[in-house]
C-alpha cells in the first residue's frame, strides 16, 4: 500500500520543505511503507502525476491539512477523479490531541510557562468559507488551555472574524497582560509571515508552526490506517 502525502503547495519553499520533512519522518516511523509526496499546485510532483504512477487500487491520499475545508473537500477529490486512479482519500489531520500538544509545546519552547496566568494566546489559523470548519478550529483554543493557566482565543489570518487585532483586544478584556501568537499552521509561508508582521508591529511574541514533528507524522499515519481499514471492510 502507498501513502501519498498531499499538501496544497506554496510559492514559499519553506512550506514544501516541511512537507518533505514530514514524509521523511513517516518513513522513519514505518520503514516498510511506500510514502510519497504530492502537491495540488505550485510545487512538484503534482498529485495527478503521482497517482498515475502508483499501483492500481493500492494507494491512499493523505491530505497534509488541518481543516476539513475547500482543499480537502473540492481540490483533492477533483484531482483524484481527473487522474482516474482507484485510490481512497484519508481524513484531514483536524484538531487531534497530539497536534494540540505540539502547539502547546511550541509555546513552551518560545518561553511561555504553563503556570503563567497572565498569558493570553492568539491561536491563529487560516479562515474558511465553511462555518463548520471555523467552528472546529475554534475548539483548538479551548483545548490548548487544558492543564495550563492560560487564556486563549482564535483569530483568523484570512477570511472571517475575529481578526488578530480583534482577538488581542478580547484577550486583554479577559485580563491577559502577556499576549503570544500561536500559529495553527503546519509550516511557515506567506500567510504566517503576515501574522509575524502583525506580531512584531504590536510587540507580541510568536511561536513556531507545528512543523515536521513526530506527532504530526503519527497523526498522518493514523488517518492512513483508518482509510486502509475502511477500504478493506468495503472489499
Amino acid at each position: 500500500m502507498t501513502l501519498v502525502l498531499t499538501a496544497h503547495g506554496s510559492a514559499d519553499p519553506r512550506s514544501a520543505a516541511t512537507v518533505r520533512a514530514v514524509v521523511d519522518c513517516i518513513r522513519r516511523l514505518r520503514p516498510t511503507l511506500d510514502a510519497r509526496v504530492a502537491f495540488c499546485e505550485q510545487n512538484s510532483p503534482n498529485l495527478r502525476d503521482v497517482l498515475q504512477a502508483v499501483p492500481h487500487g493500492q494507494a491512499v491520499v493523505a491530505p497534509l491539512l488541518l481543516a476539513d475545508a475547500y482543499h480537502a473537500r473540492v481540490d483533492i477529490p477533483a484531482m483524484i477523479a481527473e487522474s482516474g486512479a482507484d485510490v481512497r482519500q484519508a481524513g484531514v489531520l483536524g484538531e487531534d490531541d497530539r497536534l494540540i500538544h505540539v502547539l502547546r509545546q511550541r509555546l513552551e519552547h518560545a518561553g511561555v510557562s504553563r503556570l503563567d496566568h497572565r498569558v493570553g494566546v492568539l491561536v491563529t489559523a487560516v479562515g474558511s468559507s465553511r462555518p463548520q470548519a471555523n467552528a472546529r478550529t475554534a475548539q483548538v483554543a479551548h483545548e490548548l488551555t487544558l492543564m495550563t493557566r492560560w487564556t486563549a482565543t482564535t483569530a483568523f489570518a484570512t477570511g472571517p472574524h475575529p481578526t488578530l487585532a480583534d482577538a488581542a483586544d478580547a484577550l486583554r478584556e479577559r485580563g491577559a497582560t502577556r499576549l503570544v501568537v500561536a500559529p495553527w499552521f503546519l509550516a511557515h509561508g506567506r500567510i504566517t509571515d503576515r501574522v509575524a508582521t502583525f506580531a512584531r508591529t504590536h510587540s507580541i511574541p510568536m511561536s513556531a508552526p507545528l512543523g515536521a514533528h513526530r506527532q504530526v507524522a503519527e497523526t498522518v499515519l493514523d488517518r492512513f490506517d483508518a482509510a486502509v481499514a475502511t477500504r478493506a471492510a468495503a472489499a
Side-chain angles (χ1 to χ4, degrees):
M1 188 64 73
T2 298
L3 184 160
V4 182
L5 185 68
T6 305
H8 177 255
S10 170
D12 191 311
R14 294 172 296 176
S15 179
T18 298
V19 178
R20 298 184 194 284
V22 172
V23 86
D24 286 344
C25 187
I26 288 170
R27 290 166 179 157
R28 289 194 297 273
L29 290 171
R30 198 171 296 184
T32 60
L33 177 63
D34 178 12
R36 309 185 189 187
V37 170
F39 299 92
C40 294
E41 59 180 59
Q42 300 198 66
N43 301 110
S44 295
N46 182 269
L47 176 58
R48 295 183 194 88
D49 297 333
V50 172
L51 292 180
Q52 289 170 1
V54 299
H56 183 74
Q58 295 296 309
V60 169
V61 173
L64 190 63
L65 299 169
L66 294 173
D68 185 18
Y70 186 84
H71 299 313
R73 288 176 168 262
V74 178
D75 279 350
I76 292 176
M79 296 181 77
I80 291 173
E82 290 165 9
S83 74
D86 178 20
V87 301
R88 183 171 291 274
Q89 181 176 330
V92 299
L93 303 185
E95 303 75 42
D96 193 280
D97 288 345
R98 286 165 294 194
L99 303 186
I100 293 171
H101 170 75
V102 175
L103 187 66
R104 193 181 295 121
Q105 191 177 73
R106 296 301 189 215
L107 285 162
E108 291 179 302
H109 289 168
V112 182
S113 168
R114 295 190 187 200
L115 302 179
D116 191 343
H117 67 277
R118 302 169 300 165
V119 170
V121 184
L122 292 94
V123 179
T124 307
V126 174
S128 170
S129 59
R130 293 188 69 244
Q132 302 94 322
N134 295 328
R136 288 187 59 179
T137 300
Q139 296 173 10
V140 174
H142 169 70
E143 297 292 330
L144 180 69
T145 61
L146 300 180
M147 300 180 293
T148 77
R149 298 183 67 187
W150 303 337
T151 303
T153 193
T154 305
F156 293 107
T158 61
H161 290 280
T163 65
L164 278 156
D166 295 334
D169 289 342
L171 287 174
R172 292 188 183 99
E173 289 173 2
R174 291 163 61 183
T177 57
R178 184 187 177 196
L179 301 187
V180 59
V181 174
W184 183 241
F185 287 78
L186 287 160
H188 280 298
R190 293 183 176 182
I191 297 177
T192 58
D193 283 348
R194 293 204 301 268
V195 174
T197 297
F198 171 90
R200 285 193 303 271
T201 300
H202 294 84
S203 300
I204 301 173
M206 175 173 161
S207 62
L210 303 180
H213 194 284
R214 177 190 177 98
Q215 289 184 295
V216 172
E218 289 174 349
T219 305
V220 173
L221 284 169
D222 273 2
R223 302 297 182 267
F224 169 78
D225 290 340
V228 171
T230 299
R231 187 183 188 98

